[in-house]
């Protein structure tokens, strides 16, 4: 009997676990703005001074806008987003990506042409953007470039920012060397790998100088 250990990998989640973890991911993104809306309404219920009332209304407006942008993004990045075989406009994907990611700290430079792509390929792009955003926790720029053209177009995202880094285990989650832990953060790169497999590509990260590249090819 061999005593040699094989590389450690976590178990693959079943359909129920995958659905639950993705739902947790969506809820995680929505808790903050929805909680802020509730806080603003509580201030209004207390019959505040005029300046406090204006502050509460401004908080509600901004938080409602953020919640709406995150819902639209999550619907496309994680949801069904149309029937099987549906195509999605990259222009719409750009709008949703900017609404979700651009927050005063992070900006997007979008160099993709406007065309219709199979929905899984667009979902892959949006999930790659989330992976890239995690590599610049203090903010920066995500530059999205095409690889190839037409319906088989693929993507390279270059993340530049102060202290750009590879989050722990993210490369292993994308490559399949490690399965996802039971939390909303780990399921997202794991789901990105599933989308890449469905599109017939692989997603790789590389630390190039002061930038992190996320490439599907």
């Amino acid at each position: 009997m061999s005593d040699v250990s094989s590389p450690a990998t976590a178990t693959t989640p079943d359909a129920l676990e995958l659905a639950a973890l993705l739902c947790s991911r969506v809820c995680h993104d929505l808790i903050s703005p929805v909680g802020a809306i509730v806080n603003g309404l509580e201030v209004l219920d207390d019959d505040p001074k005029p300046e406090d009332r204006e502050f509460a209304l401004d908080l509600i407006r901004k938080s409602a806008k953020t919640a709406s942008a995150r819902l639209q993004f999550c619907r496309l990045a994680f949801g069904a987003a149309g029937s099987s075989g549906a195509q999605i406009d990259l222009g719409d994907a750009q709008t949703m990506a900017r609404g979700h990611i651009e927050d005063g700290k992070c900006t997007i430079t979008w160099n993709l042409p406007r065309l219709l792509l199979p929905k899984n390929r667009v979902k892959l792009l949006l999930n790659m953007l989330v992976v890239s955003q995690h590599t610049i926790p203090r903010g920066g720029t995500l530059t999205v470039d095409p690889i190839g053209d037409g319906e088989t177009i693929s993507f390279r995202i270059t993340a530049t920012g102060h202290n750009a880094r590879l989050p722990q285990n993210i490369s292993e989650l994308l490559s399949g060397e490690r399965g996802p832990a039971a939390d909303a953060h780990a399921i997202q790169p794991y789901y990105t790998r599933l989308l890449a497999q469905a599109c017939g590509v692989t997603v790789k990260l590389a630390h190039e100088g002061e930038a992190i590249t996320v490439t599907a090819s």
Side-chain angles (χ1 to χ4, degrees):
M1 180 182 295
S2 173
D3 228 13
V4 178
S5 314
S6 58
T9 57
T11 57
T12 301
D14 61 23
L16 283 175
E17 290 172 319
L18 179 63
L21 287 168
L22 284 174
C23 286
S24 293
R25 171 73 210 190
V26 173
C27 291
H28 175 272
D29 285 346
L30 292 173
I31 283 173
S32 178
V34 171
I37 293 171
V38 172
N39 291 339
L41 291 172
E42 288 176 348
V43 171
L44 292 179
D45 286 341
D46 290 338
D47 193 20
K49 299 174 184 177
E51 59 269 24
D52 292 336
R53 179 180 177 82
E54 187 54 40
F55 170 80
L57 288 172
D58 187 54
L59 176 64
I60 292 169
R61 290 187 197 101
K62 290 179 179 177
S63 300
K65 183 178 179 181
T66 298
S68 176
R70 291 185 180 181
L71 270 173
Q72 291 180 59
F73 181 90
C74 289
R75 176 179 176 270
L76 185 54
F78 306 124
S83 60
S84 177
Q87 292 189 315
I88 296 172
D89 190 328
L90 276 182
D92 293 337
Q94 178 186 8
T95 299
M96 293 181 190
R98 290 190 186 280
H100 178 66
I101 290 175
E102 293 190 325
D103 58 1
K105 293 196 308 178
C106 189
T107 59
I108 297 175
T109 300
W110 190 275
N111 296 324
L112 300 181
R114 182 153 193 171
L115 50 90
L116 293 171
L117 289 181
K119 69 175 183 179
N120 276 349
R121 198 163 286 266
V122 177
K123 287 160 71 77
L124 172 61
L125 169 61
L126 295 181
N127 278 271
M128 288 172 61
L129 278 165
V130 175
V131 170
S132 300
Q133 186 183 22
H134 288 166
T135 68
I136 46 173
R138 296 191 180 183
T141 301
L142 303 178
T143 302
V144 189
D145 293 306
I147 300 175
D149 53 29
E151 282 205 355
T152 58
I153 191 174
S154 204
F155 317 105
R156 177 185 295 107
I157 303 173
T158 304
T160 54
H162 185 60
N163 284 348
R165 59 179 177 79
L166 293 177
Q168 186 177 15
N169 296 330
I170 196 168
S171 295
E172 291 86 348
L173 287 164
L174 285 170
S175 67
E177 295 175 29
R178 180 183 294 272
D183 63 54
H185 292 290
I187 197 61
Q188 194 277 318
Y190 175 81
Y191 182 63
T192 303
R193 178 169 71 85
L194 296 183
L195 287 169
Q197 289 177 338
C199 296
V201 299
T202 57
V203 177
K204 295 181 179 179
L205 285 90
H207 205 153
E208 301 179 357
E210 297 183 355
I212 305 289
T213 60
V214 183
T215 306
S217 60

